[in-house]
């Protein structure tokens, strides 16, 4: 399972989304055998976990950047609240 997660982490966001879309289409087609459906489902869940983590990281970065733009992270204010 670690190899699968590492493989997914090495994919670009766009590649992971494309594979997830493909898996969803295959599962919705009802043409897969049960075993293959389960494998695809597991892979899809791993992709979703990775994509969600990447989106959360991106949101945090945007929040930090927005805070810098609005001046919310003033060092003088932080220093006085710590003492």
């Amino acid at each position: 399972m670690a190899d699968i997660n590492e493989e997914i982490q090495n994919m670009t966001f766009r590649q992971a989304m494309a594979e997830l879309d493909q898996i969803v289409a295959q599962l919705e087609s009802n043409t897969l055998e049960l075993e293959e459906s389960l494998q695809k489902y597991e892979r899809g869940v791993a992709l979703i976990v990775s994509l969600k983590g990447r989106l959360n990281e991106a949101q945090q970065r945007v929040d930090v950047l927005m805070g810098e733009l609005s001046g919310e992270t003033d060092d003088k204010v932080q220093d006085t609240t710590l003492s």
Side-chain angles (χ1 to χ4, degrees), residues 29-78:
S29 73
N30 276 340
T31 59
L32 302 175
E33 293 296 326
L34 176 61
E35 295 80 9
E36 191 176 6
S37 292
L38 287 172
Q39 289 173 344
K40 296 286 185 183
Y41 187 82
E42 287 179 29
R43 176 77 175 187
V45 168
L47 286 164
I48 290 170
V49 167
S50 174
L51 291 167
K52 185 176 179 182
R54 293 181 199 193
L55 286 173
N56 287 337
E57 288 174 13
Q59 182 63 51
Q60 289 174 352
R61 289 175 63 189
V62 168
D63 291 344
V64 167
L65 293 171
M66 293 303 293
E68 290 176 4
L69 284 176
S70 66
E72 292 176 7
T73 57
D74 186 7
D75 288 340
K76 291 179 183 176
V77 172
Q78 288 180 354

Side-chain angles (χ1 to χ4, degrees), residues 10 15 19 23 28 45 60 71-72:
N10 290 331
Q15 289 170 329
E19 184 175 344
I23 288 172
E28 288 177 342
V45 168
Q60 289 174 352
E72 292 176 7

